């Protein structure tokens, strides 16, 4: 895993930085090719941030399987509530 070699917090910050740069490119782009590339990179950075976030949250839950299951459940609830708003 890449997060074993690199600090996961720094990697999450890098993903957010890439997302913000891509969002700016999307907002001000006039070229269809640049827009398509920015949307693709934005999606990759978003997926990476979500995967790293899940890794960080479950790693803080400890080694107890019950606690990890509860954390994953709460993350799913929070994600679904966010989609409703």
């Amino acid at each position: 895993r890449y997060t074993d070699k690199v600090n996961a917090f720094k990697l999450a910050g890098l993903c957010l930085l890439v997302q913000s740069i891509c969002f700016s490119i999307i907002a001000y782009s006039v070229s269809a090719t640049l827009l398509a590339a920015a949307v693709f990179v934005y999606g990759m950075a978003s997926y990476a941030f979500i995967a790293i976030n899940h890794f960080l949250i479950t790693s803080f839950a400890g080694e107890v399987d019950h606690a990890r299951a509860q954390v994953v459940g709460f993350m799913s609830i929070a994600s679904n509530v966010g989609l409703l708003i």
Side-chain angles (χ1 to χ4, degrees), residues 1-78:
R1 293 199 260 124
Y2 193 69
T3 53
D4 291 338
K5 299 176 185 175
V6 178
N7 186 353
F9 289 106
K10 290 182 182 179
L11 197 55
L14 178 66
C15 289
L16 288 176
L17 178 66
V18 170
Q19 284 180 358
S20 66
I21 292 169
C22 287
F23 186 78
S24 298
I25 291 171
I26 291 167
Y28 296 110
S29 177
V30 292
S31 168
T33 306
L34 182 62
L35 182 64
V39 169
F40 179 74
V41 173
Y42 184 81
M44 298 268 297
S46 298
Y47 179 78
F49 178 76
I50 291 169
I52 294 166
N53 191 26
H54 284 204
F55 168 76
L56 286 171
I57 290 174
T58 54
S59 67
F60 286 126
E63 297 298 323
V64 181
D65 289 336
H66 178 68
R68 284 181 178 251
Q70 282 184 332
V71 167
V72 170
F74 287 137
M75 286 188 328
S76 297
I77 290 170

